[in-house]
Amino acid sequence: MGVERVQEIANFSKETIPEEFIRTTYEQPALTTVQGTVLEVPVIDLSDPDEEKVVRAIVDASSNWGMFQVVNHGIPHETVRKLKEVGKAFFELQPHEKEAYAKSPGSQSIEGYGTKLQREVEGKKAWVDHLFHKIWPPSEINYQFWPKNPPSYRKNNEEYAKHMHGVVDKLFRCLSLGLGLEGNEMKEAMGGDNMVYLLKINYYPQCPRPDLALGVPAHTDMSAITILVPNDVQGLQACKDDHWYDVEYIPNALIVHIGDQVEIVSNGKYKSVLHRAKVNKEKTRISWPVFVEPPSDLEVGPHPKLVNEANPPKFKSKKYSQYCFCKLNKTPK
């Protein structure tokens, strides 16, 4: 096996972890987390018939937090449960079965089973394995990266994608109205019905030193928005006012992150959230983010209606693929 997976390392790590997983002192969760305070991220009821109220809540959360949770979102609990069930089952397969979906070395595609995602700063590694594949639109899907085992994997993921559209449309409509735009303009600026839904499963095995390691280091999402469901193991942290806090997940909610592209199109009114993931000593944590992204060749920049002499553009327009390349390779944007 060419690449050592964190899941395998975890099987042999009983009291210590390899040096490359020990974060620097300014990153270690035990030293950098505000203890005893849980961040009560805004919770928004998407079924509220008062649309103006929902828009105000989403604008406030997106401007001040960059993160919120939505309830009564229209995705059946059973659909979410089945998505989680098959994702967990994939990571419990034998190593050789998972490696059949590994991304090939040197591949330009993000899709597939893997461990390393971006250029690692100071050689430090994250305590996580992952699986990426697109779930929408059909023209973008490459089933080579969809596990055939468990057998219901494809059906359950397609069902989840089908229910995701309503949530995505509602969120973009509210974000758009909150900027004084027409309800469809924010979505259109991101590619409209050609937007891509990229699913990632993060698998964070038990870690004997959760005080020293991170599942995912601090980052903002490159996407327009990210819609995430975790298993029942808490671990999400957000940075607010330059301090790191635990974020408590509400059962049956969807966690929504504002991503870089929405910050860009809104010309900075909405903020992409700086966040990271902790790991757990006793339990495996798993999360299922869906990154809602512009098509790779779409040029994204501040919306023309939001820019004028008094409010000049704060961001350069660039193709989404170029933006991602710069961010993942830590090159100047």
Side-chain angles (χ1 to χ4, degrees):
M1 200 184 303
V3 182
E4 202 169 14
R5 304 299 181 194
V6 175
Q7 210 173 345
E8 297 303 302
I9 294 167
N11 288 338
F12 298 105
S13 303
K14 298 304 173 202
E15 291 176 12
T16 59
I17 56 175
E19 178 70 27
E20 62 267 28
F21 290 98
I22 299 175
R23 310 306 299 195
T24 56
T25 52
Y26 60 85
E27 286 186 295
Q28 288 175 16
L31 299 177
T32 56
T33 302
V34 176
Q35 301 298 334
T37 306
V38 172
L39 213 54
E40 295 192 2
V41 169
V43 178
I44 299 170
D45 182 350
L46 280 193
S47 69
D48 192 321
D50 184 347
E51 186 176 62
E52 279 187 28
K53 181 180 166 192
V54 176
V55 169
R56 280 196 306 272
I58 286 178
V59 168
D60 181 63
S62 303
S63 307
N64 298 315
W65 297 77
M67 174 189 283
F68 50 95
Q69 300 188 58
V70 294
V71 294
N72 298 321
H73 42 71
I75 303 181
H77 298 332
E78 186 66 4
T79 300
V80 176
R81 186 192 68 75
K82 286 179 173 177
L83 174 85
K84 294 179 181 180
E85 181 180 76
V86 292
K88 179 172 180 280
F90 169 74
F91 278 92
E92 290 171 353
L93 296 174
Q94 291 300 311
H96 72 273
E97 291 185 79
K98 288 178 289 200
E99 292 299 335
Y101 301 96
K103 58 187 87 172
S104 53
S107 167
Q108 292 305 300
S109 170
I110 204 168
E111 291 188 272
Y113 171 62
T115 297
K116 182 181 173 182
L117 178 57
Q118 57 188 5
R119 193 161 76 81
E120 288 155 346
V121 179
E122 299 174 6
K124 295 297 178 188
K125 293 183 176 177
W127 193 265
V128 63
D129 295 325
H130 61 248
L131 175 68
F132 272 106
H133 59 75
K134 293 171 184 171
I135 58 172
W136 189 263
S139 59
E140 288 279 334
I141 291 175
N142 184 345
Y143 288 111
Q144 157 191 352
F145 296 115
W146 289 48
K148 292 182 177 57
N149 196 9
S152 55
Y153 187 92
R154 176 169 170 172
K155 176 171 168 282
N156 292 2
N157 275 262
E158 287 176 340
E159 182 74 9
Y160 187 65
K162 185 179 81 178
H163 285 288
M164 183 66 69
H165 301 310
V167 181
V168 169
D169 287 350
K170 176 90 175 177
L171 292 174
F172 274 111
R173 176 175 168 80
C174 291
L175 289 166
S176 201
L177 293 171
L179 294 169
L181 300 172
E182 297 295 324
N184 64 330
E185 287 187 284
M186 175 68 95
K187 182 179 172 183
E188 290 307 311
M190 297 294 179
D193 290 335
N194 293 319
M195 285 192 300
V196 174
Y197 299 4
L198 175 66
L199 174 79
K200 182 187 186 193
I201 307 177
N202 288 305
Y203 189 91
Y204 310 100
Q206 291 165 261
C207 178
R209 294 301 305 269
D211 54 325
L212 301 178
L214 282 173
V216 177
H219 67 287
T220 59
D221 291 344
M222 298 183 288
S223 58
I225 56 173
T226 303
I227 299 172
L228 179 146
V229 291
N231 69 349
D232 59 356
V233 181
Q234 304 282 351
L236 181 62
Q237 291 195 318
C239 189
K240 184 121 169 70
D241 305 323
D242 296 326
H243 291 91
W244 285 102
Y245 296 89
D246 291 320
V247 174
E248 188 165 7
Y249 168 67
I250 294 174
N252 301 320
L254 304 174
I255 300 172
V256 180
H257 298 167
I258 297 298
D260 296 345
Q261 306 313 305
V262 159
E263 179 167 349
I264 290 166
V265 170
S266 73
N267 204 30
K269 174 161 185 181
Y270 300 142
K271 305 287 187 280
S272 65
V273 62
L274 187 65
H275 58 288
R276 68 184 186 184
K278 293 193 307 181
V279 289
N280 192 288
K281 191 169 186 174
E282 278 84 35
K283 295 175 180 174
T284 292
R285 181 169 183 266
I286 315 176
S287 66
W288 288 258
V290 171
F291 302 100
V292 181
E293 306 180 323
S296 61
D297 60 353
L298 185 77
E299 193 162 287
V300 180
H303 198 285
K305 290 188 179 178
L306 304 176
V307 175
N308 52 42
E309 277 187 31
N311 191 26
K314 296 176 179 164
F315 305 92
K316 288 182 193 166
S317 296
K318 61 172 49 178
K319 282 189 176 178
Y320 183 59
S321 56
Q322 187 188 0
Y323 182 91
C324 294
F325 179 85
C326 292
K327 186 155 180 172
L328 287 172
N329 291 285
K330 309 279 195 288
T331 61
K333 296 188 188 68

